[in-house]
Amino acid sequence: MAAPETPPTSNLRYAFGNVLSIFILLLIGVLAFSIRLFSVIKYESVIHEFDPYFNYRVTQYLTKTGVYDFWNWFDDRTWYPLGRVIGGTVYPGLTLTAGSLWKILNSLNIPLSVETVCVFTAPIFSAFASWAAYLLTKEVKGVGAGLTAAALLAMVPSYISRSVAGSYDNEAVAIFALIFTFYLYVKTLNTGSLFYATINAMAYFYMVCSWGGYTFIINLIPMHVLLCIVTGRYSSRLYIAYAPLVVLGTLLASLVPVVGFNAVMTSEHFASFLVFIVIHVVALVYYIKGILTPQMFKVAVTIVVSVGLIICVAVLAVLIALVASSPTKGWSGRSLSLLDPTYASKYIPIIASVSEHQPPTWPSYFMDINVLAFLVPAGIIACFSPLSDASSFAVLYIVTSVYFSGVMVRLMLVLAPAACIISGIALSEAFDVLTRSIKYQFHDKTENPQLSAGDTSNNSKTDEVKMEKSEDSLKERSSRKNKKKAKDTEKASVISRIEQRLLVLPFEVSLIAIFLLVLLGAFYVVHSVWAAAEAYSAPSIVLTSHSHDGLHVFDDFREAYGWLRHNTEVDDKVASWWDYGYQTTAMANRTVIVDNNTWNNTHIATVGTAMSSPEKAAWEIFNSLDVKYVLVVFGGLVGYPSDDINKFLWMVRIGGGVFPHIKEPDYLRDGQYRIDSQATPTMLNCLMYKLSYHRFVETDGKGYDRVRHTEIGKKYFKLTHFEEVFTTHHWMVRIYKLKPPRNRIRGKTKKSKTQKVSSKRSGAKKNPWH
Amino acid sequence: MGKSATTNDARALFQSLLSAYSATPTNLKIIDIYIVFAVVTAVIQVVYMAVVGSFPFNSFLSGVLSCVGTAVLAVSLRIQVNKENKEFKDLPPERAFADFVLCNLVLHLVIMNFLG
């Protein structure tokens, strides 16, 4: 692309352009960091939600005890009595990153606490992710598109929602790793350098360490390689980009304990091996074609096809038999629910019950990627002119991520970088065409044009036109070149005239179009800032509400965990629904029965059955698990909609999936879930109802539930096997203690004369409680 | 009749392959021998695993994948060093070899870690 004549001012212009890009990138990084700080400003520097608390606890352990103890950690304070092998079931990338960041900062004598480092890890890595998006788009289209894509990614609401300050979750570093891995793959594809292939494998290793979504990479890249082969774009650079990645990548993926041997045995990775074999076959074919004469090659093809086909069929039959023998065809449950969206609701209710795993609604697309939703088709078209390996990769990436985002809301996050890259390309190309039109029109108006030149002929010189277009990186330079050439040759002026005819829009139209595009960008910015400030910055552990008499803060969760921490013994076990497990172990420092990891469905079903059973049966179940305290979340007094009564049907379903005596229709009246006077007796007697509404009628005399908008069914009742020990300020969290069994059981004494009477009574009602 | 035609064809194909291959430069032939050696070692390991069982599976995996890995890297080196390859004509062969060494270093570091 370097022209032979480089006047000295163009070097200066290049240098100035580079400095400007670096400055813009710095600003983009600062923007990405600061737009995520709303929750720290509005609330405080606190870890949000549920999963980040587990990561925070693991990071605390890592910083306290070191890497070896963390790697071999067996956690006995969760999933009591089973425990959990943390070293083997957690994706260590995030915790190792934050831990090393903390260590480096502390060794430099910057004494930040672990919590501060954890809270701000996500914004820092989102700045890195924008820079990685710049690099990736620069490889696909050029610097202008790169800068636009980086600016878009810094602000896209979907990515903000998972990486605000305080959202200390895997996706915070994983998205950066994803984009960086893709950038290195495209760079290797463009340059064919083995050095970049090595770094690509190492970036892929970082991605495997960070997130379970790494299977997206190891399936997308083989798909792209296959696409290139099928469309006839096989080259040796493709081989160098793909083959070392597969070998090194599989090895590195097996190093991570969570993945282990799954890297070679599960169906999620088979695509990469298949394409590995395919690319070797193709490479061999091209090599033989290169060294043989054409007719010999034809002979070779016929022999190989006839013999090879038989072998292929045999191998394929064996492979199909192996895969078909496993009930899930070798795929894990979560991957299978991605491919077949109805799978989870039929077989694994836990996966189906998570709200993040539901398909998104149409408004969520406009909420999450806003303006990009209609820039993406324009960008896909721009990728086709010209179509290179890198741009075909971008198109494949956006198409697959659109499909997956349609299956699960959570995967909108994977769509966001793709949408930003493609929209960046679209916007950059649009600006290119419009500004070029303005410049040529302007140029036309200032200098006297030779419009009378014979320009009706030579309309087919499209390739020269394209060459002109590709050298348009410095616009003034090419116009000066045009001036020079117009003086020299008539042909050049004809070409430039043709280019003007083909690519130039009228002056006023381009001005208005540029203004409208800038307005579009302004709308996008306004929406992103609003989404970041209002919609995605809630820490969900502290709630606020505005009323006529000011701001109310609901800090009930931390109040409850604090009470647990200070008023119970260290070894006491707390039972609650699995949502609150991570927070309880992290903040209250007590052993829990089930937590958000949801790896053991039967254990969760046990807790669900206990919550759905009457008091005595529930007491038995909890006593067998050594539980001392039961925690329920209740939103009826203040109108908090995500409380346990609203989740109760999922408890019934999950419990009923394992223990058949719990039947969902028993809790519904005519198919409707109600807790008022029309509710079924099973519902009114179950533990969840009793623990939620115990003494609730004392608050307003009628027991009006503000979430369900009715009065409750059973208002006056006493608890026989549990006693209430703590209810928070707004009744949002209620803690109950299991009553110990009676010391002396009535009716079972052997030596008194009134034995007969009491034995008759004991025969009638063997109840140790009354 | 057809069979003898195909065998004649096969023989002619074999001859032409041999003659075309003998025309390649010596340094590429050395790389090719290395590749064949790596693949044969991998096959021997797989046969051994089929006979004896795959108990330390990580050792088996790291052994086979190290052979396959060096074969793949050697093929990449051959591609980059081959003078007939137009795409890499301005890549100095020393740079290609340095990349090859670096990638092998990383590969063997991982192998040693995974070998158990």
Side-chain angles (χ1 to χ4, degrees):
Chain A
M1 286 230 262
E5 18 180 279
T6 48
T9 49
S10 79
N11 281 337
L12 192 64
R13 206 151 282 160
Y14 263 129
F16 180 65
N18 275 341
V19 168
L20 196 63
S21 336
I22 292 181
F23 186 59
I24 294 177
L25 276 178
L26 266 173
L27 277 182
I28 288 176
V30 170
L31 169 70
F33 184 82
S34 10
I35 202 175
R36 287 161 167 81
L37 295 182
F38 276 105
S39 65
V40 174
I41 297 173
K42 287 167 74 170
Y43 300 88
E44 60 182 291
S45 163
V46 73
I47 308 240
H48 296 190
E49 304 256 326
F50 303 111
D51 280 357
Y53 272 100
F54 170 68
N55 295 324
Y56 172 54
R57 178 166 165 254
V58 176
T59 316
Q60 270 182 318
Y61 188 84
L62 169 69
T63 52
K64 241 187 297 213
T65 61
V67 181
Y68 283 108
D69 282 336
F70 157 72
W71 209 251
N72 298 317
W73 186 19
F74 178 80
D75 186 19
D76 56 349
R77 296 187 65 83
T78 172
W79 293 92
Y80 184 85
L82 304 166
R84 177 183 171 184
V85 183
I86 298 280
T89 56
V90 82
Y91 280 99
L94 176 69
T95 45
L96 286 176
T97 309
S100 31
L101 211 59
W102 177 85
K103 192 134 199 234
I104 293 174
L105 285 174
N106 265 26
S107 66
L108 289 175
N109 254 340
I110 306 176
L112 292 179
S113 71
V114 177
E115 180 174 21
T116 314
V117 172
C118 290
V119 164
F120 288 102
T121 300
I124 293 177
F125 273 84
S126 63
F128 294 162
S130 327
W131 294 340
Y134 159 74
L135 290 171
L136 174 56
T137 322
K138 186 169 79 121
E139 286 300 313
V140 175
K141 255 315 174 171
V143 177
L147 290 173
T148 321
L152 290 175
L153 185 67
M155 291 188 294
V156 64
S158 161
Y159 184 31
I160 291 182
S161 71
R162 301 292 300 193
S163 66
V164 283
S167 174
Y168 180 58
D169 208 354
N170 287 338
E171 288 94 348
V173 293
I175 295 295
F176 160 67
L178 181 84
I179 305 179
F180 197 55
T181 310
F182 283 154
Y183 156 65
L184 288 170
Y185 170 68
V186 172
K187 182 95 183 171
T188 317
L189 199 53
N190 280 345
T191 59
S193 151
L194 197 55
F195 172 66
Y196 280 109
T198 316
I199 308 185
N200 186 17
M202 300 205 292
Y204 173 66
F205 174 52
Y206 184 53
M207 178 70 189
V208 174
C209 282
S210 309
W211 197 29
Y214 74 91
T215 50
F216 182 62
I217 298 186
I218 203 61
N219 282 306
L220 183 64
I221 292 187
M223 248 200 276
H224 177 245
V225 169
L226 210 54
L227 181 73
C228 283
I229 292 177
V230 160
T231 53
R233 303 183 74 97
Y234 171 79
S235 64
S236 37
R237 289 173 290 122
L238 190 69
Y239 181 84
I240 294 180
Y242 183 64
L245 174 69
V246 169
V247 179
L248 263 179
T250 310
L251 268 173
L252 286 168
S254 335
L255 275 184
V256 182
V258 181
V259 178
F261 295 144
N262 285 346
V264 291
M265 303 227 282
T266 51
S267 299
E268 281 127 359
H269 295 86
F270 281 170
S272 58
F273 301 142
L274 196 66
V275 178
F276 186 65
I277 297 175
V278 167
I279 201 174
H280 275 95
V281 167
V282 170
L284 199 63
V285 164
Y286 269 88
Y287 172 67
I288 294 191
K289 197 171 188 183
I291 62 173
L292 282 184
T293 59
Q295 58 267 42
M296 281 276 89
F297 182 65
K298 232 179 288 192
V299 168
V301 164
T302 45
I303 293 185
V304 164
V305 162
S306 52
V307 169
L309 211 60
I310 304 172
I311 302 179
C312 266
V313 165
V315 166
L316 217 62
V318 168
L319 195 66
I320 289 180
L322 266 175
V323 165
S325 60
S326 92
T328 58
K329 315 281 179 285
W331 295 85
S332 76
R334 288 190 190 209
S335 310
L336 210 50
S337 65
L338 274 183
L339 294 177
D340 172 18
T342 59
Y343 177 78
S345 47
K346 276 187 280 185
Y347 298 105
I348 318 176
I350 283 198
I351 294 184
S353 74
V354 181
S355 67
E356 292 178 318
H357 291 178
Q358 308 302 324
T361 53
W362 276 114
S364 63
Y365 276 99
F366 289 110
M367 174 72 169
D368 274 351
I369 54 173
N370 205 290
V371 157
L372 310 183
F374 39 87
L375 283 178
V376 159
I380 294 180
I381 293 178
C383 275
F384 275 97
S385 61
L387 184 69
S388 66
D389 291 338
S391 53
S392 70
F393 178 73
V395 170
L396 192 65
Y397 179 25
I398 185 84
V399 167
T400 46
S401 52
V402 164
Y403 169 71
F404 284 124
S405 74
V407 176
M408 253 194 211
V409 157
R410 189 175 183 188
L411 295 179
M412 290 275 293
L413 183 60
V414 176
L415 172 65
C420 289
I421 292 169
I422 298 278
S423 323
I425 294 175
L427 270 180
S428 169
E429 289 291 299
F431 267 109
D432 240 6
V433 169
L434 292 171
T435 49
R436 195 184 311 122
S437 321
I438 291 185
K439 183 186 56 86
Y440 274 128
Q441 296 279 14
F442 199 64
H443 191 69
D444 235 12
K445 284 188 175 155
T446 52
E447 88 156 14
N448 214 0
Q450 306 108 318
L451 271 172
S452 54
D455 50 11
T456 49
S457 60
N458 301 343
N459 267 331
S460 59
K461 291 221 171 103
T462 46
D463 40 352
E464 274 114 317
V465 168
K466 280 213 181 98
M467 208 172 61
E468 268 301 281
K469 191 164 81 161
S470 69
E471 287 173 355
D472 217 347
S473 50
L474 294 174
K475 301 187 174 72
E476 281 84 351
R477 208 181 113 251
S478 66
S479 79
R480 200 181 308 147
K481 200 158 111 167
N482 274 344
K483 260 197 252 178
K484 257 198 229 169
K485 277 204 177 157
K487 293 194 180 88
D488 296 354
T489 55
E490 189 68 24
K491 191 170 151 198
S493 73
V494 167
I495 293 175
S496 69
R497 203 68 56 227
I498 290 168
E499 183 183 350
Q500 283 183 30
R501 280 186 166 249
L502 288 177
L503 296 175
V504 151
L505 302 166
F507 184 66
E508 296 79 12
V509 172
S510 2
L511 263 186
I512 294 180
I514 286 189
F515 173 68
L516 285 178
L517 276 183
V518 170
L519 204 61
L520 192 74
F523 280 137
Y524 174 70
V525 170
V526 166
H527 172 84
S528 309
V529 173
W530 169 83
E534 295 300 321
Y536 291 136
S537 288
S540 84
I541 189 147
V542 178
L543 307 163
T544 58
S545 79
H546 296 267
S547 61
H548 54 268
D549 48 341
L551 181 73
H552 284 277
V553 175
F554 299 88
D555 209 0
D556 287 42
F557 288 102
R558 292 196 288 182
E559 186 184 345
Y561 298 131
W563 185 92
L564 270 179
R565 194 185 191 115
H566 290 120
N567 292 298
T568 60
E569 304 292 317
V570 174
D571 280 329
D572 283 342
K573 328 282 187 270
V574 179
S576 67
W577 191 233
W578 59 260
D579 285 343
Y580 316 107
Y582 281 157
Q583 284 182 341
T584 313
T585 36
M587 282 197 270
N589 198 23
R590 293 288 173 269
T591 312
V592 290
I593 305 294
V594 287
D595 70 12
N596 307 55
N597 191 30
T598 66
W599 67 268
N600 191 332
N601 196 31
T602 312
H603 220 49
I604 298 183
T606 313
V607 173
T609 310
M611 295 292 193
S612 328
S613 314
E615 258 189 274
K616 175 150 187 289
W619 188 94
E620 307 274 318
I621 295 178
F622 281 140
N623 198 31
S624 73
L625 286 172
D626 288 347
V627 171
K628 252 328 220 348
Y629 295 93
V630 179
L631 186 150
V632 293
V633 169
F634 170 63
L637 184 65
V638 290
Y640 174 62
S642 327
D643 64 350
D644 280 355
I645 289 283
N646 270 358
K647 294 182 195 159
F648 179 60
L649 271 187
W650 282 110
M651 298 187 202
V652 171
R653 281 180 200 134
I654 295 175
V658 178
F659 298 97
H661 66 268
I662 305 282
K663 296 188 251 303
E664 190 181 344
D666 287 345
Y667 298 84
L668 306 172
R669 168 79 66 190
D670 302 329
Q672 264 210 337
Y673 176 55
R674 340 167 53 122
I675 44 93
D676 52 10
S677 49
Q678 294 296 316
T680 59
T682 330
M683 181 72 212
L684 292 176
N685 279 322
C686 73
L687 186 72
M688 179 54 69
Y689 180 92
K690 288 205 171 164
L691 293 187
S692 296
Y693 293 118
H694 176 61
R695 291 191 314 115
F696 184 50
V697 69
E698 293 171 19
T699 54
D700 58 352
K702 292 189 292 160
Y704 182 73
D705 184 339
R706 292 220 175 102
V707 179
R708 268 62 58 176
H709 304 295
T710 63
E711 290 185 9
I712 58 178
K714 190 150 99 166
K715 302 189 190 185
Y716 301 96
F717 56 90
K718 280 204 200 313
L719 291 175
T720 53
H721 292 60
F722 294 84
E723 62 175 320
E724 179 183 0
V725 285
F726 187 65
T727 298
T728 56
H729 183 54
H730 299 102
W731 286 55
M732 277 173 62
V733 183
R734 313 194 64 184
I735 305 179
Y736 294 84
K737 187 170 171 172
L738 262 70
K739 276 193 190 163
R742 287 265 179 109
N743 228 345
R744 187 169 53 89
I745 299 176
R746 224 184 291 168
K748 282 244 175 100
T749 54
K750 300 253 192 246
K751 293 229 162 98
S752 62
K753 244 330 179 65
T754 54
Q755 173 61 21
K756 268 193 267 188
V757 181
S758 42
S759 69
K760 219 197 296 184
R761 225 188 12 183
S762 81
K765 205 166 52 151
K766 268 204 213 144
N767 194 337
W769 297 100
H770 297 292
Chain B
M1 264 302 223
K3 214 164 168 205
S4 70
T6 46
T7 47
N8 273 342
D9 276 341
R11 202 167 296 148
L13 173 68
F14 193 57
Q15 297 290 11
S16 64
L17 268 178
L18 264 182
S19 60
Y21 184 67
S22 53
T24 55
T26 321
N27 54 349
L28 294 185
K29 279 197 197 157
I30 295 177
I31 299 180
D32 288 341
I33 293 181
Y34 179 65
I35 294 173
V36 169
F37 161 67
V39 172
V40 165
T41 315
V43 169
I44 292 177
Q45 287 187 343
V46 172
V47 168
Y48 178 75
M49 188 268 301
V51 167
V52 171
S54 69
F55 164 55
F57 193 56
N58 53 328
S59 317
F60 163 67
L61 261 188
S62 70
V64 169
L65 283 177
S66 78
C67 296
V68 173
T70 52
V72 163
L73 291 177
V75 170
S76 311
L77 177 67
R78 188 188 197 279
I79 290 173
Q80 289 183 328
V81 163
N82 198 352
K83 300 241 182 349
E84 293 167 18
N85 209 335
K86 296 290 173 298
E87 285 177 11
F88 292 102
K89 61 176 163 46
D90 41 350
L91 181 73
E94 290 82 12
R95 165 75 198 265
F97 188 67
D99 285 344
F100 171 72
V101 167
L102 174 72
C103 206
N104 262 321
L105 266 176
V106 172
L107 175 71
H108 285 95
L109 195 66
V110 177
I111 296 286
M112 298 309 283
N113 193 354
F114 197 47
L115 205 53

